[in-house]
Structures are given as C-alpha cells and as structure tokens.
Amino acid sequence: MASIMQNANRLRRALLSHSGISFGAWQMLPGGNLSRTIARTGYDWVCVDCEHGNIADNQMHESVAAIASCGVSPIVRIPANEGWMVKRALDSGAHGIVVPLLYTADDARKLVQSAKFPPVGQRGYGSPFSMGAFGDPSGLEYLQQANEALVTVVQIETREAFEDVEAIAKVEGIDVLLVGPYDLGNNLHHPITSGEPDVELKAAIEKIRKAAVTAGKKAGIYCISGEQARRYADQGFHMISVVADMVALPTFMADSLVKAKGSYGHAALNMAKGVVYGTASSLSSKDKEGKKS
C-alpha cells in the first residue's frame, strides 16, 4: 500500500500509472499567485526553475507551498548538483528535484547521497516546512517515507553525461533521466536553430530515452509547445514539460498584438477606400462642410 506521501505526490502517481505519462509546466517568474494560476490549469506538476528562472530561495518556498495547495506536485530545478541546494529544495516541501549539469555516474551517486535520508544517503533532517506539501504528515512520517516518495530527476545535457548515460541510468535512487535538448544540442555541436532537433540530435535524444527505459527508469524531456510535447509522448517519454511561463506569456501576448494590428490595418485600409461602416464618405462630407464654413 502506498504511503501518505506517495499518494500525495501527483508526479509519482502519474509516472506509475497505466500510461506512465506525466505532463508538467515550467515556472521561471517569481510569485505564489503565478504558481497557483499555473497549477490550476491541469498539469500534474510545475517545475519551479531556480537555475535559469528569476526565483530566489524565499520565493521558491512560497511557490512550492502554493503549487502543493492545488493538489499538484511542486518540482524544483536547483542551479547545480550541490548538496546544500538539494537540501533547500527538498526542505521547502518539493515533491522532487531536477538537477542540471551532471557529467558522470559518480555525480548521480553524489546526488542520491544528498537527496536521501540515512541509511540510503546523508540528507539532514529538521525542516518544519516540508510536511505541509504532502497533506501534513507528521515529522516522523516524513522522515520514514521521503526516500520512497520523492522523485529525483537528472538532466542529461552535457556531452560527458550523454556518453555515460547508460551508467547514470543504472544508479539506484535516480528516477528520471530528463533531456535538456537545447544544451544537449549545443554540447554535441548540433544546436537547435529552427525549433526542432536535427537528425543527429534526434538520435541522441532517443538514445537517452532507451537508456532510461532499459534501466527501469523513466525518461523526461523539456518542450516548448503542446504539439512538441505530444510527439515526445508518442515516442515513449514519460515526464514531459509542455511549456514555460516565459514562453507562453510573450508568445500569447505577441500573437494577440499581431491579430489586433491585423484588424486595425484592415480597418484602416477600408477607411482609406471610404467603405468602413458606411461612414467614411459622410465624414468626408462633414469635413468639407466644416472647411466651407
């Protein structure tokens, strides 16, 4: 039977469901209200990005609590594979962590030591905040259940990690290998310049997916649109980031402005022809009358 914390972790439940597919969103801007707004749109998880996002430690705490209050899993991407960063993220109540810039299987083993309580790892116990993100289990229940309930995700985005991906996938305690396609493309000298990977990068991404599945782990990937996310879901990926706030917000606002200007331009053209709502000619007549008077 699943524990209290395992049941509360929506990402974990989705990954272990029949489909095994979990869709998430990426938050780069700070704010608890923004976190709640994103969490209420139906995603299984929201990644609070403390690597490239504009989110400080106290703002991370607020966002994690806000996301969890909506029944959605707060996942924190820390800036680097540093033990104190792992501790801060998990102590805030994160249901899981995404860790960038791994290079070797030893890096993955170091991460597990930071993310797991003894006897599995060396994580320190004492946060008064982490329980609240799981329906408020007791401190003892959190201590006893966290190792199995939390999700540990490593990004495969460096050349070194890509070359060592099979060994990284076999590290016990790592749950998901998540492809960072843009950095991976840059590091493999196949940068994404047109929105989609080239043939060589697609093959590299598929190699990572196969390594994860072969080792009994889940495969994840960062996407920038629903259409792209659907393709990777069909390809067999499990933990799929659909869109980020800093992609969705400017894209929607720019698209809306283009549509508004398009309507305005059409109206202006018709005005010039004197046919807008049948008023152009009458206005012209009034102007002429005004000039005569």
Side-chain angles (χ1 to χ4, degrees), residues 56-79:
D57 185 85
N58 64 313
Q59 295 164 333
M60 172 192 71
H61 274 255
E62 293 168 359
S63 288
V64 165
I67 294 163
S69 72
C70 299
V72 173
S73 285
I75 307 300
V76 174
R77 178 162 77 166
I78 60 177

Side-chain angles (χ1 to χ4, degrees), residues 24 26 28 43 181-182 192 194-197 221-232 240-249 251:
W26 216 262
M28 304 186 77
Y43 292 97
Y182 291 92
I192 298 175
S194 61
E196 292 292 337
I221 192 164
Y222 176 88
C223 298
I224 59 171
S225 71
E227 293 81 7
Q228 191 179 72
R230 183 66 257 169
R231 289 198 297 274
Y232 282 115
I240 304 166
S241 171
V242 177
V243 71
D245 52 359
M246 279 303 295
V247 174
L249 183 60
T251 299

